């Protein structure tokens, strides 16, 4: 007879504190290693049949497959996992049906970047997820993104294409969203994330999320994160699913049944000390920040990241892009700093 799984078995007080403080935690052995291996084999078969990829000789570093319904993939959703998620987000705070056929599989092969490269190069931009439904703006009251899960289908090792997070960044994102009387556009949020990570406090907060096959990384819905390249010698496969919730977040002064995730956001909103003029200035700073960071990314960052993940021997060289790229840095730093200072 299988004993009932209690919430205490899944998440400890220490893990809860980490989730509140840093914005992420890992549910260990959320599903079995056998299930992880079955999923890995099926994904590699799908990759071969749909994209003609030989796992032993892939033609590029990273592939993304749309998730689809499968009894094999359904085995990742266990009572151990759902018990932990209920404790973090409330039983009615997330929709388990979104697990069944929504999201993507990310397959990152080794051999495309130097194994000694430090830090592991980015293969995407720093961002905050928008959630289950297609959306173009972040609404602090909307539960479109209840949380961000990463199902580890292979071991996730240091410098092995781990998901990167900026620990604690969910708090400043909550203050940013709470300081606005309207949703923040997706492009504005991406630019703010890129700018925040470029600052020393942002760089010092970056963590690689490591774990074993069968673990599930659970990120706060407002946590900044990004994908990295695989500098090791084994493939890394991860499933990411947009999970939404029901209704609005519990962020009112009279709400008494907040989830752990909503409580973090509420505490940050309460700490905001803004003036009427701050919001107008904040909107202007966000727009300028978006423009300058987008220009800087197009000039050099995107080209550099793509070059670093090619198999050929070409190195990232310095050409005409570098001068305007460098000249834009103090301007980008100024606009990001202005936003940080306002939302504080």
């Amino acid at each position: 007879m299988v004993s009932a799984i209690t919430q205490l078995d899944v998440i400890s007080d220490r893990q809860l504190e980490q989730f509140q403080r840093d914005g992420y935690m890992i549910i260990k052995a959320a599903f079995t290693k056998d299930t992880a291996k079955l999923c890995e084999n099926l994904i590699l078969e799908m990759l071969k049949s749909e994209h003609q990829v030989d796992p032993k000789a892939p033609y590029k570093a990273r592939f993304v497959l749309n998730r689809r319904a499968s009894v094999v993939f359904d085995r990742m959703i266990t009572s151990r996992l759902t018990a932990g998620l209920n404790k973090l987000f409330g039983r009615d705070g997330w929709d388990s049906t979104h697990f069944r056929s929504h999201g993507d599989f990310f397959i990152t092969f080794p051999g495309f970047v130097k194994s000694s490269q430090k830090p592991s190069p980015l293969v995407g931009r720093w961002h905050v997820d928008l959630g289950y439904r297609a959306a173009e703006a972040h609404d602090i009251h909307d539960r479109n993104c209840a949380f961000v899960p990463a199902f580890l289908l292979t071991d996730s090792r240091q410098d092995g294409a781990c998901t990167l997070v900026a620990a604690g960044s969910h708090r400043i994102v909550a203050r940013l969203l709470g300081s606005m009387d309207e949703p923040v556009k997706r492009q504005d949020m991406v630019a703010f994330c890129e700018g925040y990570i470029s600052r020393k406090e942002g760089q010092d907060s970056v963590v690689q999320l490591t774990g074993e096959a069968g673990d599930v990384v659970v990120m706060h819905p407002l946590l900044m994160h990004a994908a990295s390249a695989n500098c090791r010698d084994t493939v890394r496969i991860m499933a990411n699913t947009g999970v939404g919730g029901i209704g609005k977040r519990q962020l009112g002064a009279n709400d008494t049944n907040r989830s752990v995730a909503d409580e973090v956001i509420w505490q940050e909103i309460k700490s905001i000390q803004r003036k009427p003029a701050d919001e107008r200035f904040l909107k202007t700073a966000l727009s300028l920040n978006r423009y300058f960071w987008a220009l800087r990314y197009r000039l050099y960052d995107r080209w550099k990241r793509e070059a670093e993940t090619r198999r050929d021997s070409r190195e990232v060289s310095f050409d005409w892009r570098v001068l305007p790229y460098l000249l834009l840095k103090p301007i980008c730093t100024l606009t990001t700093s202005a936003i940080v200072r306002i939302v504080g």
Side-chain angles (χ1 to χ4, degrees), residues 79-338:
S79 58
R80 177 176 177 79
L81 174 61
T82 56
L85 296 176
N86 287 341
K87 186 169 185 180
L88 288 172
F89 308 104
R91 191 174 297 277
D92 298 324
W94 63 286
D95 192 336
S96 61
T97 63
H98 295 172
F99 275 145
R100 303 299 172 183
S101 60
H102 182 74
D104 298 295
F105 296 111
F106 295 88
I107 306 99
T108 312
F109 288 103
F112 290 84
V113 292
K114 297 176 181 177
S115 60
S116 60
Q117 193 159 345
K118 302 287 184 179
S120 297
L122 290 173
V123 294
R125 302 190 73 180
W126 284 93
H127 65 282
V128 174
D129 279 7
L130 277 159
Y132 181 71
R133 300 185 310 274
E136 286 300 316
H138 296 266
D139 184 344
I140 195 169
H141 297 285
D142 190 11
R143 270 208 182 112
N144 189 36
C145 186
F147 61 94
V148 182
F151 294 77
L152 304 187
L153 301 177
T154 61
D155 291 347
S156 186
R157 302 300 186 194
Q158 194 83 4
D159 303 319
C162 295
T163 299
L164 306 178
V165 300
S169 60
H170 60 311
R171 293 182 175 276
I172 194 167
V173 172
R175 292 199 297 274
L176 171 60
L177 294 176
S179 298
M180 301 288 288
D181 62 356
E182 61 186 36
V184 173
K185 296 177 181 178
R186 176 179 58 84
Q187 301 97 320
D188 289 349
M189 183 62 75
V190 170
F192 176 67
C193 293
E194 292 271 303
Y196 180 80
I197 298 301
S198 73
R199 296 160 56 89
K200 185 178 186 304
E201 63 187 295
Q203 293 173 359
D204 291 344
S205 72
V206 174
V207 176
Q208 295 190 38
L209 298 184
T210 61
E212 299 179 354
D215 294 347
V216 174
V217 176
V218 184
M219 291 177 272
H220 190 279
L222 303 185
L223 187 69
M224 297 179 191
H225 58 281
S228 66
N230 193 344
C231 300
R232 299 182 72 91
D233 56 3
T234 54
V235 66
R236 192 256 188 171
I237 303 177
M238 179 268 284
N240 174 245
T241 305
V243 179
I246 301 168
K248 299 290 185 179
R249 290 188 175 122
Q250 301 298 301
L251 303 178
N254 296 323
D255 291 326
T256 58
N257 192 30
R258 296 188 193 92
S259 67
V260 175
D262 285 354
E263 182 63 26
V264 174
I265 300 174
W266 167 242
Q267 292 297 331
E268 294 305 318
I269 291 175
K270 285 201 306 180
S271 71
I272 296 172
Q273 302 290 331
R274 65 177 180 176
K275 301 175 183 177
D278 286 348
E279 190 169 329
R280 293 192 298 271
F281 184 76
L282 186 56
K283 290 179 180 178
T284 301
L286 282 169
S287 296
L288 290 172
N289 197 56
R290 177 187 70 234
Y291 176 78
F292 290 123
W293 277 104
L295 181 57
R296 200 166 191 256
Y297 179 75
R298 290 182 185 129
L299 280 170
Y300 192 68
D301 281 339
R302 179 173 58 186
W303 171 76
K304 179 174 180 287
R305 294 173 192 181
E306 290 172 352
E308 285 174 332
T309 54
R310 288 196 296 259
R311 183 179 291 281
D312 57 41
S313 59
R314 284 176 290 178
E315 297 289 339
V316 177
S317 58
F318 291 94
D319 63 2
W320 65 269
R321 299 175 180 86
V322 175
L323 182 58
Y325 175 83
L326 294 176
L327 290 175
L328 277 169
K329 183 174 182 179
I331 301 175
C332 292
T333 300
L334 182 64
T335 53
T336 301
S337 297

